[in-house]
Amino acid sequence: PRSSAGGCRWGCGETVLGLRPCGALDFPDLNQRELQMRPLISAILAVLVFGPGVGAGAERPNFIFILADDLGYGDVGACNPAGKIKTPHLDRLAREGVLFTDAHSGSAVCTPTRYGVVTGRYCWRSPLQKSVLGGLSPRLIEAGRMTVASFLKERGYHTACVGKWHLGMDWVKREGKGVAELAIEAQDQVWNVDFSKPIRNGPNSVGFDYYFGISASLDMVPYTLIENDRVTVVPTKDADFPMTAGEEGKRTRRGPAAEGFDAVDVLPTLRAKAVEYIDARAAEARSGKPFFLYLPLASPHTPIVPSKGWLGRSGLSPYADFVMETDAAVGGVLEALERGGIARDTLVIFTSDNGCSPMANFDELLAGGHNPSHVFRGHKADIYDGGHRVPFLARWPARARAGETSAHPVCLTDLMATCADILGERLPDDAGEDSFSFAGALTGDGKGPVRESIVHHSINGSFAIREGRWKLELCPGSGGWSQPRPGKDDASHLPAVQLYDMQSDVGETRNLESRHPEEVGRLT
């Protein structure tokens, strides 16, 4: 018998093609012949349930989770047909997979969303209650905490992270020196680390067999690449970069940089390293040793630095150029899967860590007819949907429906439970508390939605909850960077909470808190 979680109610451990024949109880009436028939019966059941074209490989797929940085919902053509940025590879993912239209990051900013992706928990359960970490911050993920990577590694997966970490790691600090623990390091702290020493408690300590990337956002120190527990080149000089290519004025934080490091090279380097990893793992994946690749790109976050071949290509702005180059990086991943003969048995998910940043220059984009937030209010950092509603595309040719659109509510914390569900496993009670499987919506197997609500969080720690048509925001303004801005704009005339009917008012323009006090009370 299968429980609502998909596993055997009696907790048996046998697995054949992802199904669980019951071996938990000792039935005296089962003779040896019947016991020998169990695998065959289970195989027949697998064909009946999943179809004759699905083999063992499809039930232990490779998982690739691509996380763009500060990419707006409206920046993907499949999500926003009126958009002006060409994203052919992401549009292809949507055509060949499922486009989720009600997907949300765990927070409206970087670090807390990434904590949720990796652990399946909302970040406000951790010590970080607002804002983000810096590039020198110590580890945020608690010792012993199960992650998606450790869960899959225990089940025979090879695991890798290529890209922006931004979840803290323990650098060796110089004698008598310190760094901010739950905030971006101060300018006078940026050289307080001995970059020549091994790093402790980075990605390798939470289940990743391999790591290559940068410690935090590309506008944060240190400006050097990291492979596993060491920098590839020790920083020896101070450097910074223009926030936007071709524009002087605003620049990234100044601090330690490796000789030869240039922000413009990071996206091409991450793309090449991801493709190299897929090429190296393809043969083992075909023979039954699957892999999990977490690919958190550092683009199109500031510094907005499209490569020379991409600068000016959009005809809109450097930000639009950078989005197009990010799309092309996804195309490189898809090509590698096809070249390796593993595209069919690989679940590729593409999404973003939050909404588009105002550093993208909304005025310039809007003048060109493009809105990165699409029809949603606000942008990165906000409690409004523009801060946390994100593009979410999922393709798995062996099992997922192609060309479908789903309004199933999804949060980026749901990766862990979805992987477990696909493998026919159940998460421990003390792991992934805020993770819910969307596998049923992905495959269309008739399994109904299991996520009933999503908790949202803004950069200043303001909360909101969405349940069905209703969204309650426990603050009078944006909780972020758009007006009304907390601490900057006068909100004394505004109600303390906001309630919106997202079915009739997706732009969050009419606060209904006074008309529906019962909903305010229930959701609070």
Side-chain angles (χ1 to χ4, degrees):
R2 297 178 70 80
S3 70
S4 59
C8 174
R9 290 193 183 108
W10 294 326
C12 78
E14 295 184 57
T15 301
V16 178
L17 296 181
L19 293 179
R20 290 177 172 273
C22 187
L25 300 181
D26 181 19
F27 292 101
D29 56 333
L30 284 181
N31 60 33
Q32 188 64 30
R33 175 65 175 166
E34 289 170 322
L35 289 172
Q36 291 171 348
M37 289 293 288
R38 266 195 203 152
L40 176 60
I41 293 170
S42 295
I44 294 170
L45 285 172
V47 172
L48 291 174
V49 174
F50 297 127
V54 178
E59 292 314 305
R60 282 175 55 82
N62 309 300
F63 296 105
I64 298 180
F65 191 88
I66 307 173
L67 188 67
D69 199 359
D70 286 6
L71 181 78
Y73 183 96
D75 290 329
V76 176
C79 300
N80 177 18
K84 303 300 182 182
I85 302 178
K86 295 181 175 62
T87 54
H89 302 289
L90 296 177
D91 297 347
R92 175 191 169 190
L93 268 183
R95 287 195 310 272
E96 297 177 356
V98 179
L99 165 62
F100 289 83
T101 59
D102 199 3
H104 301 263
S105 53
S107 170
V109 285
C110 302
T111 297
T113 286
R114 291 157 200 275
Y115 178 90
V117 168
V118 175
T119 68
R121 310 171 81 228
Y122 292 128
C123 192
W124 43 263
R125 298 189 189 277
S126 81
L128 186 68
Q129 300 295 298
K130 61 181 180 179
S131 195
V132 301
L133 299 182
L136 302 180
S137 299
R139 67 178 292 173
L140 179 63
I141 297 175
E142 303 87 348
R145 170 71 53 198
M146 176 177 279
T147 67
V148 181
S150 66
F151 173 82
L152 291 174
K153 183 175 181 178
E154 290 172 358
R155 282 146 186 84
Y157 277 70
H158 191 276
T159 59
C161 174
V162 174
K164 166 183 167 178
W165 184 237
H166 212 176
L167 285 169
M169 52 183 71
D170 292 337
W171 300 88
V172 175
K173 293 185 283 292
R174 299 187 183 277
E175 186 71 27
K177 301 294 185 179
V179 295
E181 293 196 2
L182 293 173
I184 301 170
E185 53 278 339
Q187 184 61 41
D188 63 0
Q189 296 178 328
V190 297
W191 282 102
N192 287 358
V193 162
D194 185 347
F195 296 105
S196 69
K197 299 292 178 62
I199 305 163
R200 294 182 298 107
N201 295 323
N204 298 122
S205 71
V206 294
F208 289 101
D209 292 309
Y210 178 74
Y211 173 67
F212 181 91
I214 55 178
S215 67
S217 297
L218 192 50
D219 57 8
M220 297 177 180
V221 303
Y223 299 119
T224 187
L225 294 166
I226 302 167
E227 188 164 30
N228 292 320
D229 63 348
R230 287 184 178 272
V231 299
T232 58
V233 180
V234 175
T236 55
K237 64 178 185 178
D238 277 309
D240 55 31
F241 306 95
M243 278 292 199
T244 301
E247 299 179 10
E248 289 302 325
K250 290 185 177 180
R251 299 183 70 84
T252 64
R253 298 167 181 85
R254 188 165 181 80
E259 192 67 41
F261 183 94
D262 196 327
V264 73
D265 297 327
V266 171
L267 176 56
T269 299
L270 296 181
R271 169 182 173 162
K273 187 62 68 170
V275 168
E276 177 186 313
Y277 176 79
I278 294 169
D279 287 343
R281 301 303 308 175
E284 286 204 24
R286 290 194 304 270
S287 64
K289 170 77 172 180
F291 65 83
F292 166 52
L293 172 61
Y294 172 43
L295 180 56
L297 300 172
S299 60
H301 190 289
T302 52
I304 298 169
V305 283
S307 302
K308 184 177 180 180
W310 289 95
L311 190 60
R313 189 178 293 195
S314 70
L316 281 176
S317 70
Y319 173 79
D321 301 335
F322 211 20
V323 171
M324 291 178 63
E325 187 176 4
T326 302
D327 172 79
V330 176
V333 169
L334 301 182
E335 290 169 8
L337 292 174
E338 291 168 0
R339 182 169 58 248
I342 54 175
R344 174 176 169 77
D345 291 336
T346 301
L347 170 55
V348 178
I349 296 172
F350 175 88
T351 185
S352 178
D353 64 344
N354 44 249
C356 181
S357 167
M359 289 299 296
N361 195 337
F362 272 64
D363 290 341
E364 182 179 30
L365 292 166
L366 289 170
H370 180 79
N371 186 350
S373 295
H374 191 34
V375 297
F376 307 111
R377 182 178 181 180
H379 47 59
K380 176 182 178 177
D382 294 347
I383 204 66
Y384 303 129
D385 261 37
H388 51 78
R389 190 178 297 228
V390 291
F392 195 94
L393 316 171
R395 188 192 76 170
W396 181 15
R399 287 287 310 281
R401 299 173 293 169
E404 295 286 336
T405 298
S406 175
H408 185 291
V410 173
C411 182
L412 301 198
T413 57
D414 294 344
L415 175 63
M416 180 183 280
T418 301
C419 291
D421 194 9
I422 288 171
L423 298 180
E425 300 276 359
R426 179 176 179 178
L427 293 174
D429 290 340
D430 61 350
E433 298 95 317
D434 306 304
S435 194
F436 296 84
S437 174
F438 57 83
L442 180 66
T443 62
D445 64 3
K447 184 178 178 181
V450 295
R451 176 177 277 284
E452 297 179 352
S453 62
I454 300 177
V455 176
H456 306 302
H457 209 212
S458 75
I459 191 171
N460 80 339
S462 294
F463 282 100
I465 183 169
R466 165 79 182 283
E467 185 175 287
R469 67 190 301 167
W470 296 110
K471 181 182 178 185
L472 177 70
E473 299 165 359
L474 301 179
C475 57
S478 70
W481 295 341
S482 70
Q483 295 178 330
R485 298 166 297 177
K488 294 187 176 181
D489 298 320
D490 182 14
S492 61
H493 62 291
L494 298 174
V497 301
Q498 304 169 73
L499 179 72
Y500 296 104
D501 182 343
M502 300 300 287
Q503 285 186 3
S504 63
D505 181 26
V506 73
E508 298 173 82
T509 62
R510 299 184 297 276
N511 185 359
L512 304 178
E513 56 86 27
S514 63
R515 294 172 56 182
H516 296 279
E518 74 288 349
E519 291 297 338
V520 171
R522 182 179 66 83
L523 292 171
T524 300

